[in-house]
Amino acid sequence: DFAEGNVHHKALLISVTVCSILLVLIIIFFYFRYKRQETRPHYSIGLEQDETYIPPGESLKDLIEQSQSSGSGSGLPLLVRK
């Protein structure tokens, strides 16, 4: 009876140790991954703060109409109304 309890105790100790080591390794992996992403340069789309996608004098409706008439299958899809 004492030998079985000792085996269960050892199995529990080994399991807890392995799980703890895995948890520490996972935390270290995600920490370094986060730090690597933080040090990467953030890419901008090349627009200044005052610039917009829509040129002056045009509206979004004008841009949608232009994109729909530019050829077969190209441009923005039509919105479906119910």
Side-chain angles (χ1 to χ4, degrees):
D1 191 35
F2 176 73
E4 287 182 17
N6 197 13
V7 170
H8 291 296
H9 186 267
K10 285 181 183 179
L12 178 65
L13 183 64
I14 291 171
S15 298
V16 168
T17 304
V18 169
C19 289
S20 299
I21 291 172
L22 285 175
L23 180 64
V24 168
L25 290 175
I26 290 170
I27 290 172
I28 290 171
F29 171 76
F30 281 109
Y31 172 76
F32 282 116
R33 185 176 173 191
Y34 171 76
K35 282 301 218 180
R36 187 180 70 187
Q37 286 179 352
E38 192 177 76
T39 58
R40 283 186 182 172
H42 297 285
Y43 297 104
S44 64
I45 55 175
L47 294 176
E48 298 295 326
Q49 281 185 337
D50 296 336
E51 291 184 60
T52 60
Y53 289 111
I54 302 174
E58 290 189 23
S59 67
L60 183 58
K61 183 178 178 183
D62 295 333
L63 291 176
I64 292 173
E65 287 174 359
Q66 289 174 5
S67 68
Q68 290 173 352
S69 63
S70 62
S72 175
S74 63
L76 297 172
L78 292 174
L79 297 176
V80 177
R81 294 186 184 175
K82 290 186 177 184

